[in-house]
Amino acid sequence: MPQKKLYAGVKLNEIRTKLGLTQKVFAAKLGVSLPYLNQMENNHRPISTTVVLALAQEFGQDVTELSSGDTERLVTDMREALADPVFSDTPPLADLRLAASNAPALTRAFLELHSAYRRTQERLVTLDAALGERSDDVAASPWDEVRDFFHYIDNYIDPVDRAAEFFAGDDPMAAARQALEGRDISTFIAEESDLRTYDPERRELTLSAQASRATRNFQTLHQVALLTQNDLLEATLDLARFQSAEARAIAKIGLANYFAGAALLPYGRFRTAAQDTRHDIERLAHRFNASFEQVMHRLSTMQRMGAKGVPFLFVRVDQAGTITKRHSATRLQFARFGGACPLWNVHRAFETPAQFLRQLAETPDGERYLLLARDVSKPGGAWGTPYRRHAIALGCEVSHASQLVYADGLDTGNPAAYEPIGTSCRICERRDCHQRSVPPLERKLKFAPNQRRVLPYEIGK
C-alpha cells in the first residue's frame, strides 16, 4: 500500500513559533530552502522525510504529533455534516483535508454551526421548539460540548495524568486511604447504597457492596480527586472555556473520572506492563485490580509526549447500537450522530458474553485494523434490579498488530481475511454493502424497477 503524503503545515508553523525562530533560520536548521519551508507551512507541499528526521534530531520533537488524528477527525466530521440534504453538493475530499489542515478553527466553527442547525431542526420535527424560545437554546448541548472537548484533545490531559501518577505512587489505593484518613473521612461499604455517596458534614464515604472491587476502587479515587485535586480540575476547566455551567459540571465529573483511571493505572507502570504483556487485557486487569473496560479505556489514552503507546480506538455501545463512549487516536473516526457500523464485531459481542472477539477489518479508504470486542453487561446486584447492557471495542491499525497478543494466529497479510466496515451508513462510500440501512447522502441513486439486488437501488459514483 503506498505511503500517504503528510501535510502538517499548521503543526510545523506551531513548532517554529514555539521555538521563536524565523522561517529563514528554521529552514536552515531543517536543511531545506526558505521557499520550500514556506510551501510546507502553507500545505502546498507535504512534509518531507528529511524534515521529519531533522525535527526529531535537531529539536527533539515527537514527530508522531505531525500525523495526529486531529485532521482526520475534522475531515470525518465535515463529511458527515456535509452529507446533510441541506447542502446541495459535497466538496472534494482534498478540499476538506485542506480546510482541516490549514484552518482547523474555522472548520470547528462550521461544525458547531451545523450542530446548532441540526438541533434546531430536531426541535421543530419533534415539536419541542416553541415560539419565543430563547436564542441561546441552540447552543451545543452540555453533554455534546464535553464529549467534543475530550474528543479533540486525544482524550489525554497531561497535567491531570501526571498528577494522578504522582499521587498513586506504588499503591494507588494505599494513597487513597491515606488521603481520606488525613481528612478524617471514614469509608463504609453498604448493601443499600448508590455506587458512591459522600457526606461532607459527617465526613463519610459510602460505597455499594453490589459493585465490583474494581468499581469501588475507581469510585474511591474519583472522590479523592474531588477532595485533593480541586484546584487542578478547576484550572483545567478554566482553560477549556465551556459555554455553560452545566457543561462545566459534566466536564468536572469527566476530569475526576480521568484522574481516577490514571491513578488506578499509572502511566509509566501501565505502559511498561502493556508492552510486557503485549496488551493482554485480562492480565493487565488482574495485575492492576481493574475492570476490562477500565483497562481498554486507559489504553486509548496513552498519548503522552515522548512516551506514546499504541494508538488505539475505543468505543462503547448499547444494544441499540448507540455509541455511549468514543475516542480514536487512529485514522478511523466515529460518526457524531447515530450508531456504529453494523458490521463491527462490537455488536456481536452481546451474543457471546464473557468472550473476546477478534476481527480484521478494512475501511473504505483502504486502512486495515485489528478490532477486539467484549460484552461488559452488568447485573444490578439484586432480584428485580435493571441489567445494564453494553459492549466495548478496542482497535488499532494493523501495522501495530504485532504488539498485541490478540494478533497471534490471524492471517494479517491476507487481504481476504479483512471484513469491509465503515463509519456510518450516511457517509460510507461502499456501494455493495449488504447491511446498509440508508443510502449515502453524498451519492446519487439509480433505480431499476424490473430488477432487485441486495439493495433496492444502485449507488452512483
Side-chain angles (χ1 to χ4, degrees), residues 3-66:
Q3 187 69 30
K4 293 186 176 180
K5 294 181 179 180
L6 173 61
Y7 291 90
V10 173
K11 290 188 178 293
L12 192 62
N13 180 272
E14 288 177 357
I15 292 173
R16 179 175 64 81
T17 302
K18 288 180 181 179
L19 293 171
L21 301 178
T22 64
Q23 277 194 330
K24 183 176 181 181
V25 174
F26 195 45
K29 289 183 176 292
L30 294 178
V32 297
S33 66
L34 178 58
Y36 189 75
L37 174 62
N38 184 272
Q39 290 176 327
M40 285 191 294
E41 287 195 359
N42 287 284
N43 279 335
H44 295 154
R45 285 196 178 188
I47 306 296
S48 67
T49 304
T50 301
V51 170
V52 172
L53 293 175
L55 286 170
Q57 296 171 359
E58 183 74 21
F59 302 106
Q61 292 290 325
D62 184 349
V63 295
T64 59
E65 287 293 301
L66 294 172

Side-chain angles (χ1 to χ4, degrees), residues 167 174-185 224 227-228:
F167 171 86
R177 287 191 295 271
Q178 183 178 356
L180 293 172
E181 290 170 0
R183 288 166 173 75
D184 296 322
I185 298 172
V224 167
L227 292 168
T228 68

Side-chain angles (χ1 to χ4, degrees), residues 391-447:
I392 52 179
L394 186 77
C396 68
E397 294 170 15
V398 78
S399 58
H400 301 285
S402 61
Q403 300 181 56
L404 277 66
V405 66
Y406 304 97
D408 293 352
L410 295 179
D411 192 1
T412 58
N414 179 12
Y418 292 83
E419 298 181 61
I421 66 169
T423 301
S424 171
C425 285
R426 63 199 305 271
I427 61 172
C428 182
E429 298 177 352
R430 295 197 186 281
R431 303 176 61 194
D432 54 355
C433 177
H434 61 285
Q435 282 292 131
R436 180 176 287 282
S437 57
V438 295
L441 293 176
E442 56 183 351
R443 293 283 187 260
K444 292 184 177 180
L445 304 181
K446 298 179 181 179
F447 300 92

Side-chain angles (χ1 to χ4, degrees), residues 263-301:
L264 190 64
L265 306 164
Y267 198 100
R269 287 198 290 122
F270 182 72
R271 178 172 176 265
T272 299
Q275 293 172 340
D276 291 344
T277 62
R278 294 183 62 215
H279 300 84
D280 189 318
I281 294 166
E282 292 174 280
R283 291 178 62 188
L284 290 170
H286 177 74
R287 182 178 299 188
F288 289 91
N289 294 315
S291 69
F292 293 142
E293 183 171 352
Q294 289 167 355
V295 169
M296 293 169 75
H297 185 273
R298 182 57 167 155
L299 286 172
S300 74
T301 70

